[in-house]
Amino acid sequence: MPDDLLATTDLLWSSGLRPKGGPALGGISLGRPWAYALRGTTNGIGAPADTQRTVLLCFPFDLEDLPGGCGYRQIELAVDFDDDDVHALDLHPGPGWEDAEGGRVAVFGLGRNQLRWVFRAPAAGETLRPDGRWTQAVLQLSSPFSAVSGRLTLRGKVEHPLLSGTRAESEVHMGDEVAFHVSRADAWIGVPLARQVPQPGAWALAGFDEPTTPDGPLPPGRRRLCLAVDIEKYSARHNADMIRLQRDLLRVMRAACSRAAVDWYNCGRQAQGDGYLLVLPPDTDETRVVPHLIDGLADALASVNREQHRHAPGPSSPRTRMRTALHHGIVHEADSGYAGSAVVELFRLLDSDPLRACLANDQSTDLVIAFSDRLYQDLAIHGYEGLSPAAFEQVQVKVTAKQFTGTAWIRSHFRNPPFDDSTPSAQ
């Protein structure tokens, strides 16, 4: 086998109608992953080998021609790393990527150790060209880079003719997963590629579009700080205003992370239209990050509203107003998002009547924040980074339909900056 070839394997029929013949359809060639130990990353330019924890891995593969009028409708490459603490910082192709022929790629796994690229044909009746493809991931390792290992699998959907003269689509898969191992001795030294600029909300894809196996192992549960936000009266806005609000929300969230020195690309993110879930890295220093996140949210939201007021001055100028909740606890990265009682409780607080009423009844502020009781006791009581217990009001949250009761601490002392109506609107 050539040095650059990891494995060749047959594609087997999985399900659906299929032509007569044996179980094998065609073949796939998997190249050996290429590795680059990255310089100029968060490890520092010229960081010594025993401290570098960022690596770029490339995964090439080749689709062979299919027989008898068959064509690839979809191909999915899955990469599962053996180390649970590996996290993907960047992926290419990225979310929303489209090739020159209109084929699209769906990408899953940012912030995780399980990655998926799904290559889809441009439109009904069209198929993917059988040729070489490749994917790449920038990884944050749990320890200095000595080796990276994992498993590759490939499955897809094939369009094929039937004896009746019609065409059908059936699922195909590799026979067995293929293990890979890349050591530092095999790696080149490289520099990070320029980060892609995604469409708003595209990086929020956190889970897979399909579960792995129904009886697969429980994904790792880690204690994470979680932040959720929701825009007030979003559904009452016009379509164009909804689009602006989603853009504003993304700007506010990213600005808050920047204020708190939190790596946006290392967080779990889940967009929900008028809301957003942010799951911070497991090693987050909550005593420092939480106060700065709060200040960053308040300042960024005020900036967004000042800008909106310049475009539409006057007392009726629309404002973006938000509810926010923070909580920490065990979180699992499940097949279609983030799971765990901590996430459930977070959204109970975010959607609670006391928090909604606080924002609705106080027009002097555009932001209200609820701490879970656990977070309040851990942080606010001790006054970390300027947090003050006096700024919070204790409320009881009860959601009878969900059989949930709990305590929350609400802070609403974020005053809107005065707007000068004499300010001319932006041209």
Side-chain angles (χ1 to χ4, degrees), residues 10 17 23 32 47 79 140 168 178 234 262 266 271 354 356 386 394 413 424:
D10 287 332
L17 297 173
R32 293 190 182 279
V79 183
Q140 183 72 52
V178 175
Y234 173 85
V262 170
N266 205 21
R356 288 179 178 274
Q394 184 179 11
H413 302 166

Side-chain angles (χ1 to χ4, degrees), residues 315-400:
S316 61
S317 176
R319 287 153 50 192
T320 302
R321 309 182 75 222
M322 296 191 331
R323 305 186 317 279
T324 302
L326 290 106
H327 183 35
H328 56 190
I330 298 297
V331 176
H332 295 272
E333 299 180 2
D335 288 323
S336 59
Y338 291 89
S341 59
V343 178
V344 172
E345 182 173 344
L346 176 75
F347 280 96
R348 295 286 184 262
L349 301 181
L350 183 69
D351 297 331
S352 66
D353 290 339
L355 192 63
R356 288 179 178 274
C358 183
L359 184 61
N361 297 335
D362 187 357
Q363 294 298 314
S364 69
T365 188
D366 291 331
L367 176 68
V368 295
I369 292 179
F371 276 24
S372 68
D373 187 55
R374 186 189 311 168
L375 191 67
Y376 174 84
Q377 300 297 336
D378 284 350
L379 297 183
I381 286 294
H382 301 285
Y384 286 112
E385 297 278 344
L387 288 178
S388 170
F392 292 83
E393 176 187 357
Q394 184 179 11
V395 298
Q396 296 301 312
V397 176
K398 184 175 182 179
V399 186
T400 303

